[in-house]
Amino acid sequence: MMANNETGVIQPVQQIFKETRELNRRRKIPILLHTDAAQAVGKLPVSVEDLKADMLTIVGHKFYGPRIGALFCRSSARSRLCPMFFGGGQEKNVRAGTENTPMVVGLGEAAELVTRNLGVYSANMKKIRDYLRDGLLRRFDLVLTEDNQDLKKGQVLWKYVDIHMLPNTLSVRFGGMDGQSLLQLVSNQLNASTGAACHSGGSVSSVLLNSWNWSEQDAGQTIRLSVGRETTQAEIDQVLDALYSAILGEA
């Protein structure tokens, strides 16, 4: 995973691939290098040539395209792909079924727009994400600790601050409030998720957050906040006011 879908932390995929290629020199059967770039495309520069990846996956709806995925696969690695579905010879016998041409074209167009405008998109998302972070600092009490302590109402904690992160993501733990309950209280002003959006709605807390030795309750207090290309400061102010009112009971 090139960038974590819950915390927004960018993983050192290029370094991992470099070390794996060194290891492959001593192996009869090389390890294929694959990364899930779903969270990264549209927010970071992504190049299969720079990464020297054998395979790379993307999904369109993460960068304002249609909800369809794509797999880049080098010809040298294609022989090691095994189909999950058998049938016709479409997709070079890797995946049966008729190609969804309109969505494929839409995915290509979205990718082209991202490539052309990435600098503008990324800079604006980071500006708005930082505005959200600063607004939380103004309204709530930031706890700077690595201890697994209980947070009180009005206290917030984010695990990662000044490290390499996606420009649009902020994972925040709100003390004294269950994440799902908080989202219900602010549902008219905010669409967000507890943990990964694709896993939201379940009762099991994040494996990642639990790996920090957080309790189920601590992990359940964490919300992943994300901004988009066109999110405005006025919209962030509305969200901040809603969060403040829901947690501290004041407008």
Side-chain angles (χ1 to χ4, degrees), residues 17-79:
F17 279 10
K18 180 181 178 181
E19 294 179 11
T20 305
R21 286 195 299 273
E22 292 294 324
L23 177 63
N24 278 342
R25 294 179 180 180
R26 305 190 297 273
R27 292 175 56 92
K28 292 183 179 179
I29 302 177
I31 300 169
L32 292 180
L33 303 176
H34 167 264
T35 185
D36 176 354
Q39 294 292 333
V41 174
K43 307 174 188 76
L44 305 172
V46 177
S47 168
V48 292
E49 298 305 329
D50 290 344
L51 290 170
K52 295 181 172 60
D54 296 308
M55 301 180 189
L56 182 143
T57 48
I58 63 173
V59 62
H61 68 277
K62 295 295 184 180
F63 53 98
Y64 291 72
R67 189 177 288 269
I68 185 174
L71 169 68
F72 164 83
C73 182
R74 293 191 187 276
S75 57
S76 58
R78 190 168 297 154
S79 63

Side-chain angles (χ1 to χ4, degrees), residues 179-191:
Q180 290 286 1
S181 300
L182 177 56
L183 290 178
Q184 289 177 8
L185 290 173
V186 298
S187 60
N188 289 334
Q189 294 84 16
L190 172 66
N191 287 320

